[in-house]
Amino acid sequence: MNITLKHLSCPFAPWRPADGRVFNGFSFDAETTDIDDDRPNLTPAYVVGAACDGQRGVFISRDNLLPFFDAHRDVPFVMHNAAFDLKVIDVMMKPSIDIYRAVEDNQVWDTLILNRLVSLATAGHTARGESGLADCARIHLGITLAKDQTDTHGKTIRTNFGQFLGKPASAIPANYLTYLAHDAMATWHLFGALDRKIQDLLQSAESVYGYVNPNWLQYVINRFGPLTHHVQLRASILMDVLRTNGIGVDQVRRAEKAIKVQALLHECKERMRQRGYLVGEPGSDKAMQSILSKLKRDNPQLALTKTPTGKWSTAEEDLMELAVADSFFDDYRSYKMAEKLLSTYLKKMGRPRLHPKFGYLLETGRTYCGGGFNLQNLPREKDEKDIAATIRGCFVPGEENVFIDCDYSQIELVVLGYVCGTQLGIPSRLAQLINEGNDVHRLIAAAVLNKNPKDVLKGERDSAKPVSFGRPGGMGVEGLRRVAKNGYGIDLTDEQIQIRIDAYHRLCPELTYFLDDEIDTGDVIARQLDLTPARYSQAIGKYSDSSYRQNRVPAGWLGGMLLKVLREKIPQTSSGNIRSYTPDEIDFFWTQAQQLPLGLKPNLQAKLRSRQADPELWGHVRDWAGRRPVFTVTGRLRANVTYCSSRNCLFQGPAADGAIMGLWLVWRAGYKIVDFVHDQLMVESPADENVKDRLVHIENLMKQGMLMIVPGMNVQVESVITCSLNKKDLDPRYESKTKDLIQAQAPGTVASNVVT
């Protein structure tokens, strides 16, 4: 039969084993029985498939699937959402054909992933939810794929292929085969269109921050795929594996936890009622304002935040900071945490095994978890008295199993050291320190406290973590202080933060060069607004020689002055004779700032209109002016990136890629992975005499995967054997130091005689 899709046309016929190899490259699409969303561990059955190379197409029945792929061994092929199709056909072909070996040989391409990577490289986002085949065909091919077609009985074709299970293609109605052929044709031509776009992007990418040279670009394309496609393909498969495997929930522990959290909820609610605050009742907002006003009267030194309307801010993060000053806000904090724990977690854990949805390719390249239950963002375990913050102990391995919990050690710093020394060409003291086996957090704390690193206590080491992790991302004192408080529960003054920053820069001088901004935001603003010395002089009533060319050219220093006006209530010059800006200068810059195409939120738009200097407004304008594209060392291109995101992307992205490569090796070795959080994975293992040997093997596989990204670095993995997701819940049968089992080896290398 001849299939037509707008301007495209291609003959299709059933494929038979006697036809042998008919393609040198092809697209493939599979139709299956219904997908059971309630039981994602069940793989739908393959019904019929289609392959196409633009010149010819074939329909492949269930009986002929294995012979078809056997005849096309070593032939590259394209799918849209390959993770699903590969899982479906893998059931049909193993053990005769290992379809995932084709992934490792870089023979499988996914147009859904390519579209998301192109979007990241051009628009700066990954088009999540906007990369279906119909979306992509419309955008890149100008073709409409009708996904809601019905048959003569009114059934939706897309979801009713299951009725033909076990039948040859010749027995399937023409309208169903046409629907299938359209998808295969669209996928093939979509691949060509995306490939051309990627080639055009990369040919003009020499000016992108992080670009090294043409040889480097070709190397990373060959190794990781264009824009890291081959890494993301593995990530998509692994995230589906995680959902399929799921993770066990101890219902007894869950019930006990729910009772304790509910009790805490009621206790906090009652104490707040005694202070005149009725949670969720009419008048509660007014009561909160009264409590805040009294707190300010009794404690005038406290810095309470106000909203643009003049009321006290009741934003959760602002109220949480007041817990130390008044027990009411400690109760409020505990109540909110308990309420969230019940609604977001405990009420959704009623099944013996959860199957959360995992996703891949956030803008940074990291994975994520969502769609009903976020297993990657569980509250951290704390003391039992703070019961509202604990939940991890409810997640347990299956009967007669344990968890092997493996975590990369300071991996983003490892990657940062590698990136500085290789991609950016900055001599890296950080890389040297790490490869010598040092703990960077401990070294920073030792420098601040004037201690021997060996004498630094855990709490002192932890106080350096916010800076050692956050500073390379371009965070300043204020941001790092918030991270220390919210992320680590550590209260540090601005001075204490600055001391740690200074110690970090002395320890790793390359950090100063790494944080140098390659974009002059003042110049960008000046060019956008045509801020010339002539216009500036005219505005403040000074003479300007218009015949002098430089007076008619936008000047970056004027953009810098505008930024200062947006940030400081009393802006001053920073060189020469220090003086405050004149009213005419301030008026000129505020007037010009109104013309910037910013897309501000209402509260910031109000501050701009009312000419209210504010650091948040300044930051938004600076970010707008400082957007740029950036390459990771693995070759992923991200467009429209702010300064801080560009720095984070340089080390977070490759660290995520390395973790995926390690996770892939662990899965391919046959281990059951049940959770993955950025740089930490959880394997469910039989509780037998080989557990510790498996731990050693998994650690080495993780190192091997990360070393594909950062060769020559000292990659370390820390592991424990537990009875739950709570790291402290160690299995007493395996509490002895497992590190003793790891044979002496050079830093970053992989043992050659691991036990499987």
Side-chain angles (χ1 to χ4, degrees), residues 574-603:
S574 55
S575 60
N577 294 323
I578 306 298
R579 64 171 181 82
S580 298
Y581 289 9
T582 67
D584 286 341
E585 287 176 314
I586 293 174
D587 178 69
F588 172 71
F589 289 118
W590 275 115
T591 300
Q592 297 305 309
Q594 312 289 327
Q595 312 305 315
L596 288 170
L598 298 173
L600 295 171
K601 294 179 181 179
N603 66 318

Side-chain angles (χ1 to χ4, degrees), residues 3 46 71 78 109 133 178 182-183 239-240 254 302 320 376 467 488 629 652 654 656 662 671 693 725:
I3 304 294
Y46 177 90
V78 187
W109 296 85
L133 183 57
T178 299
H182 280 172
D183 281 1
M239 296 307 103
D240 184 69
R254 169 187 169 271
L302 279 180
M320 296 304 182
Q376 285 190 341
V467 174
Y488 295 87
Q652 281 188 354
Y671 293 106
D693 293 330
L725 287 190

Side-chain angles (χ1 to χ4, degrees), residues 531-544 557-558 561 565 573 579-592:
L531 298 181
T532 66
R535 291 187 61 211
Y536 167 70
S537 297
Q538 182 181 15
I540 64 175
K542 287 189 176 182
Y543 171 75
S544 174
W557 57 270
L558 289 170
M561 290 182 72
V565 166
T573 58
R579 64 171 181 82
S580 298
Y581 289 9
T582 67
D584 286 341
E585 287 176 314
I586 293 174
D587 178 69
F588 172 71
F589 289 118
W590 275 115
T591 300
Q592 297 305 309

Side-chain angles (χ1 to χ4, degrees), residues 126 152 162 184 197 200 278 308 315 320 331 456 536 610 653 660 707 727:
T126 60
T152 55
K197 289 193 175 187
D200 291 342
L278 305 179
M320 296 304 182
D331 283 330
V456 171
Y536 167 70
S610 62
I660 287 297
L707 286 167
K727 276 185 177 288

Side-chain angles (χ1 to χ4, degrees), residues 522-536 551-555 558-559 562 588 592 595-596:
D523 185 65
V524 172
I525 292 171
R527 291 179 183 277
Q528 173 70 31
L529 298 175
D530 192 31
L531 298 181
T532 66
R535 291 187 61 211
Y536 167 70
N551 284 339
R552 293 180 279 112
V553 176
L558 289 170
L562 183 147
F588 172 71
Q592 297 305 309
Q595 312 305 315
L596 288 170

Side-chain angles (χ1 to χ4, degrees), residues 26 40 63 81 93 135 167 268 310 344 393 461 471 553 570 729:
F26 60 92
D63 291 341
N81 190 15
M93 292 191 290
D135 298 319
K167 295 183 178 181
C268 293
T344 305
R461 176 184 180 273
R471 181 60 177 167
V553 176
I570 307 177
D729 192 7

